[in-house]
Amino acid sequence: MGTEESSNGNPQEMWQLEYNKAKLRDIPFETMSGVPVDPVYGDDLFPGQYPYTRGIYPSMYRSRLWTMRMFAGFGTAEDTNLRFKELLRNGGTGLSTAFDMPTLMGRDSDSEWSLGEVGRAGVAIDTLSDMEDLFADIDLSKVSTSMTINGPAATLLAMYVAVAEQNNVAPDELAGTIQNDILKEYQAQKEYIYPPRPSMRIITDMVKYTTNEMPKWHPISISGYHIREAGSTAAQELAFTLANGFAYVEAAIAAGQNVDDFGRRLSFFFNSHSDFFEEIGKFRAARRIWARWMKERYGATDERAMFCRFHTQTAGVSLTAQQPEINIARVGIQALAAALGGTQSLHTDSFDEALALPTEDAARIALRTQQIVAHETGVANVADPLGGAPYVEWMTDEMERQAEAIFAHLEEIGDGSILEGTFAGIENGYFVGEIADAAYRFEREVNAGRRIIVGVNDFTEGDNPEDRNLLRIGAETEEYQLKRLEDIKSQRNQDQVDAALRVIAEVASDATRNLMPAIIDAVKTYATEEEISAAMESVFGTYVERAIV
Amino acid sequence: MSDQQYRVILAKLGLDGHDRGIKVVARILRDAGMEVIYLGLRQTTGSIIAAAEEEDADAIGLSMHNAGHLTLGPKMTASLNDARLDIPLIIGGIVPDEDIEELLESGVAAVLGPGASAEEVVSTVRDAISARDET
Amino acid sequence: MKSSKETIPQLFEAALSGERRSLGKLLTLVERGGETADDVAGLAHRKAGNTHVIGITGAPGSGKSTLTGRLLELFSQTGHNSAVLAVDPSSPLTGGAILGDRIRMDDLTDENSFIRSMATRGHSGGLALAVPAAIQLFDAVGYKPVIIETVGVGQVEVDVAGAADTTVVVVTPGMGDAVQANKAGLLEVADIFVVNKSDRPGANDARRDLDLMLDLGHISGLEEKTGYRPPIIMANSLEGTGSQEIIEAIENHANHLKSSGSIKVRQDQRTLMEIQNRVELLIGTTAKETLSTEFGKAMINAVLNRETSPAQAAKSIVNSLLND
């Protein structure tokens, strides 16, 4: 970079040209005291310029603030549908769906595994009928929907496509994201169904299907969030996440996809924890590493395929059950780090999440917290305001150095392939072992008092457990959902269901065929999520983790 | 080395996959000189009972993060009773204070909340085992 | 200390009738050592002698637990009740241990199998007694085969694995496992080699290395005497490939032991080793006790004052024991 001149002029002039084209928000870009400020400071690298350390867009938040995307889902599909419609009435355009644990694991509400979990941590979906209720009276051609699901992602995507079709919305009109990042499930979140290799096959089928039929859909959101929540360090979060990204790219290239077509539609999801500068360094390093690898190693030429676009959520694991109100301050600081790190969207956690699912009041305070960061602090006026500070640049380099060391290890155990290295690391317990080591080291430091957690191992006065108002979800949801499922099962045409499930098993055993059309056909017969999972399990088997501590 | 070599089974019951806490607890107990048999994720009451019998466990620890404790805790104690196993059951994880009483009444020996120190973890397990031995 | 209300003979009877909980308790007593353990082992010894003992050893991460699980499933399908004793090291600092890898099995296998984890508890002497006693307990109760699973590092593990009727050594490609196994002395005790994760690059190299080492005569010389050469089986425990071949190889080896008469040699050897271990442990314990008697203290002082040598002192102490 630096002072290198090109025929188009120096970096600053090139940036200025791009900046001038951007549409800006209609607010004064000045301090609270009325001092006008520039869109960016510094004189070598500018935002929007490769390798995008300073941000992926030339005008960053001056054009558009990050999206304040709050995750919602609870109880039955009808309950969540009411919340969605409320959100849309208030001007929202993005729906973000949380599913309950049985749905995330490919289990139906009437499975013996589901006892006590139905509708608790998110919405329960068993059949297409639930999906119809979830999106009733919502124009799917006008909204963007994010679905946080991985193991059975193909089934949920198929249901979404089928609901849209019922309402005469074609797949190519559907916009949204499905998390579908199975690799981190084996590493951290543990919501897997099949072994890693067949899971990769399903993802590759989904990528092909969405590339051809759903150009506005993001088929994978590569997530470090859960890796960090499971106890990793910031650098491990960064490295494991990007390595998973490289693995998907390698798998897609091997399946004949074009790296630019595929790379453009990838996005990321990071954690924002409490060590302010480490987090900011991590976000900046993520953009730089991704751009370099995509361009230099995988040969991307479209700069959008080099962009590390990411969603951020504040660190749930940092929230304390003791004096929960002080979590509001933690969330505020973490949200600020995400904004200074240049995130594209942000979910702020509710202060009561260490105790239970958030109440509506707590969720409102969380949203207000990021609104304060966006509208009151002035940090959105200037792109990468900390760029150039010696500590921040050092931290960015350090994060990159640590991540590269991890990539080198994965390449070694994968014989030069990150994809194979990732499979090997899952198989030999490398990821879970590294994460558990880091989690234990942190816990020992807290325990020895070498690391202070306010309210936990110091400053403990003022905790009032009796004042708490927690969200409780009753057993009615489970009963209601079980009844619904029973009705659907008795009303559907069982022969059609059986036939559709047989086709899924057939297609699953033939790697040259795409599973998506077969799954879409099956959901239309009101085959349940678990029946579809079981049909694939009959061919792919199930994954059982070695219990490594 | 401890003269009383306690053997503790740790497991995740049901679908909940949050295993950070239970892995930390496994190491805390090991470092306190106990033998920990970690069964891992997605266990059933049946698999936990079988392991407890074969391993002759002194205590069982379950971790719960999905608000399923009021269903799964009593289910586990009932299974232990059915199998005539007198082994203390300790539940850790996200359990609101107001639910603790109900769990204890259902036969759970102790509940460890978020943020419990290593000393609390160890003493809770030791106390639960000695309380059982005294009866 | 945990007390059990039943007497040892009651527990033993209950275990014989198939009650798992009682067998679990007896195993604890055996593991704890001392007179009680000797009583239990004594009861078991009389009823034992019918099982086939399989040692499975391999480095951490070699997939030997998954492999054991596969074998259990196959044994279960053919109507065998098998038991597993999984031995893992204790922390030398705290005495604690994380014992894991209790294998997840289908219901039928669950019903037909018994898995027990055992920590080394920092003293090889204790383990050398506890493992044979546990085997005899499983044997007495009717488990056949009994599988001993150990981490293939260190003398204790090699001894334990080597004491089996059939010893299976598991290596993985690409990590120099074969060379490590050779260094640890595992090649000499191996009756069957398994190259696990055979889909990995370097699997064929690992096979070739093992073949070469066998050619160079790193084995105990049995091949020349009996014509048995340890087979090398390529397996993938995650997918289950190779498991059936391993079972067949175990059966072949068992038949070979019978037809060549080596089974008697092995079992005699194992009995001899157990007696020897017990003798050493008894002498060791008594010798330690002697050191704190008046006589022992006098000997120590004499060495410290350079009036006698450590070797002389040791001889005098042993003589005093033998003359008691």
Side-chain angles (χ1 to χ4, degrees):
Chain A
M1 329 287 95
T3 54
E4 191 184 346
E5 301 266 337
S6 77
S7 55
N8 294 332
N10 68 23
Q12 177 150 21
E13 286 166 10
M14 287 163 65
W15 165 80
Q16 191 69 54
L17 278 174
E18 294 301 316
Y19 179 82
N20 291 345
K21 290 186 213 157
K23 188 171 176 287
L24 303 182
R25 285 186 292 141
D26 186 20
I27 55 155
F29 296 111
E30 56 183 40
T31 69
M32 187 180 274
S33 317
V35 181
V37 294
D38 288 345
V40 64
Y41 290 83
D43 52 17
D44 54 12
L45 183 66
F46 290 82
Q49 289 178 350
Y50 179 86
Y52 315 106
T53 314
R54 304 200 66 189
I56 56 175
Y57 303 120
S59 54
M60 284 305 289
Y61 303 137
R62 282 199 173 193
S63 291
R64 200 170 153 250
L65 285 168
W66 60 87
T67 306
M68 300 183 194
R69 196 188 281 278
M70 304 294 280
F71 194 45
F74 64 97
T76 65
E78 286 153 317
D79 297 334
T80 307
N81 176 260
L82 288 177
R83 221 186 243 195
F84 278 172
K85 284 193 278 200
E86 172 77 25
L87 207 79
L88 294 175
R89 266 196 299 279
N90 290 333
T93 55
L95 305 175
S96 181
T97 324
F99 298 100
D100 72 354
M101 186 54 89
T103 306
L104 292 171
M105 291 296 298
R107 300 281 181 177
D108 288 343
S109 299
D110 59 1
S111 156
E112 59 173 325
W113 285 98
S114 306
L115 184 68
E117 308 256 25
V118 177
R120 278 208 193 270
V123 59
I125 303 288
D126 294 314
T127 67
L128 181 59
S129 168
D130 299 319
M131 206 68 152
E132 289 162 4
D133 288 350
L134 182 61
F135 294 105
D137 310 318
I138 295 172
D139 184 350
L140 297 185
S141 68
K142 298 261 159 48
V143 297
S144 132
T145 302
S146 158
M147 289 192 272
T148 301
I149 193 146
N150 299 278
T155 307
L156 273 291
L157 182 65
M159 288 182 181
Y160 193 72
V161 170
V163 169
E165 193 182 286
Q166 287 175 358
N167 294 292
N168 299 315
V169 177
D172 65 3
E173 294 177 79
L174 296 173
T177 305
I178 191 153
Q179 193 168 77
N180 201 24
D181 171 16
I182 200 67
L183 292 173
K184 62 97 171 51
E185 298 299 336
Y186 304 105
Q187 297 159 348
Q189 191 170 241
K190 316 294 172 70
E191 290 160 9
Y192 39 67
I193 303 174
Y194 322 104
R197 284 173 201 270
S199 292
M200 254 345 226
R201 142 94 192 276
I202 301 172
I203 288 176
T204 310
D205 284 358
M206 289 173 74
V207 167
K208 279 187 188 161
Y209 177 83
T210 55
T211 304
N212 297 332
E213 313 286 335
M214 304 173 74
K216 292 199 273 183
W217 197 269
H218 296 281
I220 310 177
S221 166
I222 306 156
S223 307
Y225 185 80
H226 321 86
I227 293 171
R228 190 66 175 284
E229 290 286 298
S232 82
T233 64
Q236 286 167 343
E237 177 198 354
L238 173 67
F240 295 173
T241 311
L242 294 182
N244 289 345
F246 302 149
Y248 294 120
V249 170
E250 290 179 12
I253 291 173
Q257 298 269 300
N258 173 298
V259 66
D260 284 325
D261 289 348
F262 170 66
R264 265 199 301 269
R265 294 185 306 129
L266 290 177
S267 62
F268 291 84
F269 173 19
F270 289 112
N271 197 305
S272 190
H273 217 298
S274 297
D275 191 318
F276 197 64
F277 289 100
E278 189 174 55
E279 294 307 296
I280 293 166
K282 178 186 78 184
F283 297 130
R284 300 176 87 245
R287 281 190 294 269
R288 187 197 285 171
I289 297 169
W290 185 252
R292 283 190 179 151
W293 277 65
M294 285 301 277
K295 182 177 181 176
E296 290 167 20
R297 174 147 171 160
Y298 300 116
T301 53
D302 181 343
E303 70 167 7
R304 286 172 300 167
M306 303 174 207
F307 286 171
C308 177
R309 268 178 302 257
F310 60 89
H311 172 69
T312 305
Q313 181 171 338
T314 58
V317 76
S318 73
L319 304 178
T320 60
Q322 297 84 350
Q323 302 183 53
E325 325 75 60
I326 65 174
N327 289 326
I328 297 171
R330 291 192 176 98
V331 170
I333 292 162
Q334 295 165 1
L336 183 60
L340 291 169
T343 194
Q344 274 60 60
S345 62
L346 178 63
H347 169 105
T348 31
D349 286 329
S350 301
F351 69 87
D352 54 358
E353 285 183 42
L355 302 161
L357 289 171
T359 59
E360 222 161 308
D361 269 352
R364 180 182 47 80
I365 292 172
L367 176 60
R368 295 288 176 264
T369 306
Q370 58 170 310
Q371 287 166 335
I372 291 171
V373 174
H375 300 288
E376 295 187 19
T377 65
V379 297
N381 286 339
V382 179
D384 189 32
L386 297 179
Y391 181 40
V392 172
E393 294 299 338
W394 176 87
M395 185 63 86
T396 308
D397 294 344
E398 174 63 15
M399 287 289 123
E400 182 179 15
R401 190 190 62 74
Q402 290 191 31
E404 289 289 347
I406 291 173
F407 302 148
H409 172 74
L410 291 173
E411 280 194 283
E412 195 191 320
I413 62 175
D415 261 5
S417 149
I418 295 278
L419 175 62
E420 287 302 320
T422 304
F423 284 143
I426 290 168
E427 229 174 77
N428 71 17
Y430 165 74
F431 295 106
V432 289
E434 291 286 297
I435 292 170
D437 285 349
Y440 191 49
R441 182 185 52 80
F442 182 84
E443 229 47 64
R444 284 170 65 109
E445 287 170 2
V446 171
N447 209 56
R450 275 180 288 138
R451 199 175 277 285
I452 304 258
I453 306 294
V454 173
V456 173
N457 62 352
D458 206 346
F459 315 108
T460 51
E461 316 78 45
D463 197 22
N464 291 311
E466 52 285 349
D467 291 354
R468 281 165 202 163
N469 173 27
L470 302 178
L471 181 74
R472 319 286 313 204
I473 292 168
E476 332 52 273
T477 301
E478 187 154 350
E479 287 159 27
Y480 176 83
Q481 187 66 22
L482 287 175
K483 176 81 180 61
R484 257 184 78 79
L485 179 55
E486 200 187 321
D487 290 348
I488 299 284
K489 279 185 176 172
S490 66
Q491 288 158 18
R492 64 187 188 177
N493 180 329
Q494 192 61 40
D495 292 342
Q496 280 181 3
V497 173
D498 295 343
L501 293 173
R502 273 196 303 276
V503 172
I504 289 182
E506 258 170 55
V507 177
S509 17
D510 180 355
T512 64
R513 294 171 70 188
N514 195 311
L515 277 159
M516 279 308 293
I519 300 175
I520 293 172
D521 288 344
V523 302
K524 289 180 185 166
T525 68
Y526 295 87
T528 68
E529 192 202 18
E530 183 165 338
E531 289 165 343
I532 293 171
S533 300
M536 292 202 272
E537 277 172 57
S538 70
V539 176
F540 295 146
T542 51
Y543 182 74
V544 178
E545 177 188 79
R546 281 176 56 210
I548 296 172
V549 173
Chain B
M1 197 188 294
S2 158
D3 53 339
Q4 300 201 3
Q5 197 83 52
Y6 287 149
R7 293 168 64 84
V8 181
I9 284 185
L10 295 182
K12 293 285 295 186
L13 175 60
L15 294 176
D16 170 24
H18 294 88
D19 58 3
R20 173 185 179 142
I22 198 162
K23 287 185 173 190
V24 167
V25 166
R27 292 180 183 212
I28 287 173
L29 297 180
R30 175 199 61 192
D31 290 351
M34 299 187 197
E35 288 176 2
V36 176
I37 298 126
Y38 177 53
L39 303 186
L41 300 174
R42 320 254 139 79
Q43 298 295 319
T44 61
T45 52
S47 68
I48 292 168
I49 299 263
E53 289 183 335
E54 294 174 7
E55 301 288 359
D56 190 24
D58 296 291
I60 297 171
L62 300 181
S63 139
M64 301 193 181
H65 285 80
N66 272 12
H69 49 273
L70 287 182
T71 315
L72 297 176
K75 191 179 169 199
M76 188 72 230
T77 53
S79 301
L80 284 166
N81 286 335
D82 289 347
R84 295 180 301 116
L85 281 179
D86 183 18
I87 304 175
L89 173 67
I90 299 151
I91 290 181
I94 299 187
V95 177
D97 286 349
E98 65 227 60
D99 291 350
I100 293 178
E101 197 57 38
E102 190 175 334
L103 285 175
L104 296 180
E105 273 168 25
S106 78
V108 172
V111 177
L112 278 166
S117 70
E119 289 75 25
E120 283 170 74
V121 169
V122 173
S123 64
T124 302
V125 173
R126 286 221 170 102
D127 293 350
I129 297 173
S130 2
R132 191 274 318 255
D133 285 351
E134 278 155 21
T135 57
Chain C
M1 174 121 349
K2 181 170 49 174
S3 58
S4 90
K5 289 155 194 102
E6 300 98 328
T7 64
I8 289 170
Q10 281 170 339
L11 282 173
F12 191 64
E13 281 308 313
L16 286 180
S17 75
E19 213 197 72
R20 283 163 191 256
R21 193 157 43 118
S22 302
L23 181 54
K25 284 186 190 299
L26 289 171
L27 287 164
T28 301
L29 296 176
V30 150
E31 204 179 355
R32 219 175 261 158
E35 293 282 331
T36 319
D38 293 346
D39 292 348
V40 176
L43 281 175
H45 177 75
R46 266 174 263 155
K47 291 243 175 207
N50 303 308
T51 198
H52 187 80
V53 183
I54 303 168
I56 299 186
T57 190
S62 60
K64 61 182 178 315
S65 300
T66 321
L67 194 72
T68 305
R70 294 283 178 187
L71 298 186
L72 286 183
E73 274 171 24
L74 291 176
F75 282 130
S76 160
Q77 283 160 20
T78 51
H80 290 83
N81 294 334
S82 18
V84 178
L85 184 69
V87 182
D88 274 308
S90 301
S91 154
L93 285 177
T94 65
I98 292 175
L99 308 168
D101 276 10
R102 273 186 67 92
I103 314 125
R104 214 74 59 81
M105 297 169 298
D106 56 55
D107 291 347
L108 177 69
T109 313
D110 231 1
E111 188 86 355
N112 294 339
S113 318
F114 191 109
I115 304 178
R116 175 68 174 223
S117 319
M118 190 182 266
T120 54
R121 297 198 175 171
H123 45 87
S124 57
L127 194 70
L129 297 190
V131 170
I135 293 174
Q136 284 170 17
L137 262 175
F138 285 133
D139 188 345
V141 169
Y143 284 101
K144 185 177 182 178
V146 174
I147 299 174
I148 314 295
E149 195 190 305
T150 66
V151 188
V153 283
Q155 196 54 46
V156 183
E157 284 83 357
V158 173
D159 285 351
V160 168
D165 296 318
T166 301
T167 301
V168 181
V169 172
V170 184
V171 300
T172 47
M175 312 291 279
D177 269 15
V179 179
Q180 288 306 320
N182 187 18
K183 278 192 196 153
L186 280 174
L187 293 201
E188 285 155 53
V189 298
D191 299 306
I192 295 167
F193 289 102
V194 174
V195 178
N196 198 15
K197 305 182 183 176
S198 57
D199 57 328
R200 290 260 197 93
N204 283 322
D205 295 348
R207 183 196 186 109
R208 205 195 45 227
D209 286 354
L210 287 171
D211 244 335
L212 200 65
M213 285 188 236
L214 289 175
D215 283 344
L216 292 173
H218 280 279
I219 51 162
S220 55
L222 268 177
E223 187 179 347
E224 289 78 22
K225 272 190 228 158
T226 66
Y228 181 83
R229 181 185 171 100
I232 302 167
I233 296 166
M234 309 299 276
N236 187 335
S237 58
L238 282 180
E239 286 163 14
T241 52
S243 310
Q244 189 56 46
E245 287 91 328
I246 297 171
I247 300 261
E248 282 160 18
I250 292 171
E251 280 165 6
N252 280 344
H253 182 251
N255 290 336
H256 160 77
L257 288 178
K258 266 184 224 140
S259 62
S260 66
S262 320
I263 187 81
K264 174 118 180 52
V265 179
R266 286 214 179 195
Q267 282 169 357
D268 291 356
Q269 185 70 27
R270 203 154 63 209
T271 309
L272 187 76
M273 209 164 112
E274 192 188 340
I275 299 174
Q276 192 180 321
N277 282 334
R278 286 188 176 277
V279 170
E280 279 171 16
L281 197 74
L282 281 175
I283 293 183
T285 313
T286 325
K288 252 187 212 143
E289 284 163 6
T290 310
L291 284 179
S292 46
T293 63
E294 286 305 311
F295 169 69
K297 283 180 190 153
M299 290 313 300
I300 294 169
N301 274 329
V303 174
L304 288 173
N305 296 334
R306 313 216 170 261
E307 291 155 14
T308 185
S309 73
Q312 272 303 330
K315 276 181 196 156
S316 309
I317 291 170
V318 170
N319 283 334
S320 81
L321 290 180
L322 296 177
N323 295 332
D324 262 359

